[in-house]
Amino acid sequence: MPQRGRPRGFDVDEALERAVEVFWRQGYEGASVTDLTEAMGINKPSLYAAFGGKEELFRKAVARYAEKDMGYARDAFAQPTAYEVVATLLRENVIAVTRTDRPAGCLSIQGGTSCSTDNAPIAGFLAASRLGGEGALADRLARAVAEGDLPAHADPVALARFIMIVTEGQAVHAAAGVSREDLRQAAEIALAGFAAASGARLPEQATRPV
């Protein structure tokens, strides 16, 4: 019978959660392997054995962040109208980037905004992740056009880009200390701009008899 490998002496999920916090607060370049191992409660050989290295750990941390901290985006896409999709995204984003139990801002923004050329793949990975979210929103708005929820002249790609620029900007401002209330005000202005530019039906219009 082959011998079983030595079991890990730590909780992988818990260690990954702590890595998320380190990368979020310090960025990819600012987080040293020592910072990570100390926060995760493991040694360097264990980090490499379990996660493959710093870059692989960062990619896993971003995936966990997307699953856990950005679950509101999945809820938003499930809303029945384009207006409600965008309203949920903008409003829940404000809450997400100003949570008191998490670092302010967004890991996908703070993680690689100041990467050197040596770490260009990390910056590219984060940019691709953000563009993936923008593309998913554009697809959802295109569906709204096809279903008649948005008028035919609405541009899903431009509208999605606008919303993503707002949410990413909100994350930067949150990290700089702007209050939740001020970000909430900005989100409502952006929502009004989306409604005006897209021709989206407001909730009361959606239920009003024709």
Side-chain angles (χ1 to χ4, degrees):
M1 294 274 304
Q3 290 187 338
R4 299 174 65 181
R6 182 180 177 183
R8 292 192 180 109
F10 64 94
D11 185 319
V12 174
D13 288 338
E14 178 61 28
L16 184 57
E17 186 65 24
R18 293 179 184 179
V20 169
E21 290 266 350
V22 174
F23 283 129
W24 198 337
R25 292 184 188 281
Q26 299 176 217
Y28 179 79
E29 289 195 348
S32 69
V33 172
T34 299
D35 292 332
L36 290 162
T37 54
E38 288 180 354
M40 297 164 76
I42 62 176
N43 57 31
K44 291 180 182 179
S46 293
L47 185 152
Y48 286 99
F51 301 104
K54 180 182 174 181
E55 181 173 339
E56 292 84 352
L57 174 61
F58 181 73
R59 291 173 183 269
K60 289 181 172 70
V62 170
R64 183 174 180 85
Y65 169 82
E67 178 184 359
K68 183 176 179 181
D69 294 274
M70 294 194 67
Y72 67 87
R74 293 187 294 273
D75 295 336
F77 286 2
Q79 296 301 310
T81 68
Y83 182 89
E84 290 170 283
V85 167
V86 172
T88 302
L89 273 176
L90 289 170
R91 291 167 179 165
E92 293 298 320
N93 170 258
V94 170
I95 295 171
V97 300
T98 56
R99 285 173 53 181
T100 57
D101 61 334
R102 284 299 218 182
C106 170
L107 173 60
S108 67
I109 301 293
Q110 280 121 268
T113 50
S114 58
C115 277
S116 66
T117 53
D118 290 342
N119 290 310
I122 291 295
F125 161 67
L126 291 172
S129 297
R130 293 192 297 271
L131 287 174
E134 182 178 314
L137 178 56
D139 289 345
R140 177 62 184 86
L141 297 179
R143 195 184 99 195
V145 173
E147 293 173 347
D149 176 45
L150 288 178
H153 64 74
D155 185 337
V157 173
L159 291 167
R161 184 180 306 117
F162 166 66
I163 296 303
M164 294 304 291
I165 288 171
V166 171
T167 57
E168 290 168 12
Q170 295 277 66
V172 172
H173 279 68
V178 176
S179 71
R180 176 176 287 186
E181 189 53 40
D182 286 346
L183 296 178
R184 188 172 278 146
Q185 183 181 45
E188 294 304 317
I189 293 170
L191 179 58
F194 167 80
S198 67
R201 293 183 297 169
L202 303 184
E204 61 270 21
Q205 294 173 321
T207 57
R208 187 181 302 158
V210 178

